[in-house]
Amino acid sequence: MQENRAVIRLGSIRANAQYFLSRAQGAKLCAVVKADAYGHGAVAVAQALSGVADMFAVALVEEGAQLRHAGVREDILVLCPPLGEDDVVRGARHRLIFTVSDAEDYRLLGRVCEQYGICVSCHIKVNTGMNRFGFDADAFDKFLAGRLSGRVRAEGIYSHFYRPEDAETAEKQFARFQRFCAPAERAFGSLLRHIAATGGVLASPVYCLDMVRVGIGLYGYLPEGFFLPAGTLHPALSVSAQVACAREYRGGGAGYGEYIPQGKDLCVVRAGYADGFFRANAGKNSLCMDACVEESKRNKYDEVCIFSDADAYARRHGTISYEALVNVGRRAVREYVSGEDE
């Protein structure tokens, strides 16, 4: 098979989800399946977590629509705010929950809802220190004092830790978040409060509130600064490729560049940067677009595991596991297994 083979162990993802639920102090679980579930396949992951997750989070309206088309019935939160009328109409059609991160987001929702005679739900995003999306405190006070739409139902309020591994920083952010929650609930009524992602859950049970949003932890990895005993989480993805050529070194280089092999045995693995693997630090520039030259003795057609530990791979390439996971299965055929060890 010319395509790489990505094996995704859905049982591992379910086990990881249950672990975070056990740490969440009774809070609901929002499973983050944006970016095609970090490269694992959003539809398959959402279906595997049916009955475990209370809500799913995606980045884009289109990602949420794909889940709905696949029959996912749970609530779906779109983390990036809408950027135009089309986003609002499509999101409303698929019963998605919007993020409102400033007054303009809210006005856009209200205007489109009035135009089409529809209603939508949203969660309010507030800025507690990440400075990405979210109301600042003064803008939020002004927003709440203004005219609120009867067609836009605020059902939740959330923020995001930017350094959950640092206790002092996280405590300050959490205190800021709580100061947003009280006036928001006076304006909108009871809201679903959430600030803890994977790192926040591990940092303190206090941060779990009404719901936790777990992303990287579902797939078996941790954000920087957090550690768990070996075997606590189970990486869910591995990628294999076939040996397309086995040969002896006959002079010259090995792939592009000036690298000279030290031995006589070479093989060509059918995986390259077009498959999502990183050329930087790949080993003497031996990685090409569709193939990689290795110094090893293998047989033609052998299957080789080329990715199983995102953390180790990320360290070798000067990046993070998140980036590795969303890339390495790009041209792979996915194979889903129900257990943890198949």
Side-chain angles (χ1 to χ4, degrees):
M1 181 171 69
Q2 289 182 319
E3 297 90 347
N4 295 337
R5 185 170 70 98
V7 176
I8 296 98
R9 290 168 287 278
L10 297 174
S12 294
I13 295 173
R14 286 192 295 267
N16 296 335
Q18 292 289 356
Y19 172 77
F20 283 97
L21 275 172
S22 75
R23 298 281 300 256
Q25 300 291 299
K28 294 181 178 182
L29 172 64
C30 177
V32 182
V33 294
K34 64 181 180 178
D36 206 20
Y38 294 47
H40 294 69
V43 169
V45 170
Q47 291 172 340
L49 293 178
S50 179
V52 178
D54 301 278
M55 182 182 292
F56 294 101
V58 296
L60 310 176
V61 166
E62 179 59 29
E63 294 176 334
Q66 290 172 358
L67 294 183
R68 288 286 186 243
H69 287 310
V72 174
R73 302 173 65 88
E74 289 84 356
D75 286 341
I76 300 172
L77 173 64
V78 182
L79 297 172
C80 294
L83 296 178
E85 180 180 312
D86 289 349
D87 290 339
V88 179
V89 172
R90 186 161 172 75
R93 183 185 304 132
H94 293 289
R95 298 176 289 105
L96 307 181
I97 301 171
F98 294 96
T99 286
V100 167
S101 67
D102 58 34
E104 291 182 59
D105 295 340
Y106 189 84
R107 284 194 293 269
L108 173 63
L109 292 178
R111 175 176 59 78
V112 175
C113 286
E114 289 291 339
Q115 180 179 349
Y116 291 96
I118 59 178
C119 295
V120 298
S121 299
C122 72
H123 284 200
I124 305 294
K125 180 71 180 287
V126 295
N127 178 29
T128 58
M130 179 170 274
N131 294 296
R132 187 169 60 183
F133 296 122
F135 283 93
D136 293 321
D138 53 350
F140 194 56
D141 291 340
K142 184 177 179 180
F143 165 68
L144 293 180
R147 181 176 176 270
L148 300 178
S149 172
R151 293 186 176 275
V152 182
R153 299 182 298 266
E155 298 179 347
I157 183 169
Y158 75 105
S159 191
H160 198 96
F161 288 119
Y162 71 98
R163 289 189 67 199
E165 73 281 4
D166 182 80
E168 182 179 357
T169 302
E171 288 169 8
K172 288 179 179 178
Q173 272 198 268
F174 187 66
R176 290 191 198 107
F177 180 62
Q178 290 180 305
R179 289 196 291 272
F180 278 102
C181 290
E185 292 196 313
R186 285 196 296 270
F188 296 110
S190 180
L191 296 172
L192 190 69
R193 302 163 303 153
H194 49 112
I195 188 172
T198 299
V201 176
L202 299 175
S204 172
V206 173
Y207 301 150
C208 294
L209 295 176
D210 303 315
M211 186 170 72
V212 296
R213 304 182 311 271
V214 181
I216 194 72
L218 290 177
Y219 310 107
Y221 298 94
L222 297 175
E224 185 177 358
F226 289 95
F227 305 92
L228 289 171
T232 303
L233 297 181
H234 309 278
L237 172 69
S238 60
V239 181
S240 298
Q242 281 190 281
V243 173
C245 179
R247 66 188 320 133
E248 288 189 359
Y249 173 61
R250 298 290 187 179
Y256 294 111
E258 60 184 15
Y259 174 61
I260 304 299
Q262 302 302 302
K264 69 174 184 176
D265 294 312
L266 299 176
C267 74
V268 180
V269 177
R270 217 307 295 152
Y273 55 81
D275 300 279
F277 292 88
F278 301 139
R279 190 167 186 264
N281 305 316
K284 308 300 182 180
N285 292 329
S286 63
L287 193 74
C288 307
M289 184 177 289
D290 309 296
C292 179
V293 182
E294 287 188 357
E295 276 197 75
S296 61
K297 185 174 180 61
R298 300 186 188 275
N299 297 316
K300 188 178 178 74
Y301 308 126
D302 280 353
E303 187 174 62
V304 181
C305 181
I306 54 176
F307 182 95
S308 61
D309 185 335
D311 285 338
Y313 182 87
R315 284 192 296 271
R316 289 199 304 273
H317 294 277
T319 184
I320 56 176
S321 57
Y322 302 72
E323 186 180 17
L325 288 169
V326 300
N327 276 284
V328 296
R330 188 180 298 161
R331 286 202 299 194
V333 174
R334 289 174 178 156
E335 177 182 321
Y336 291 96
V337 295
S338 59
E340 297 177 26
D341 300 317
E342 287 96 335

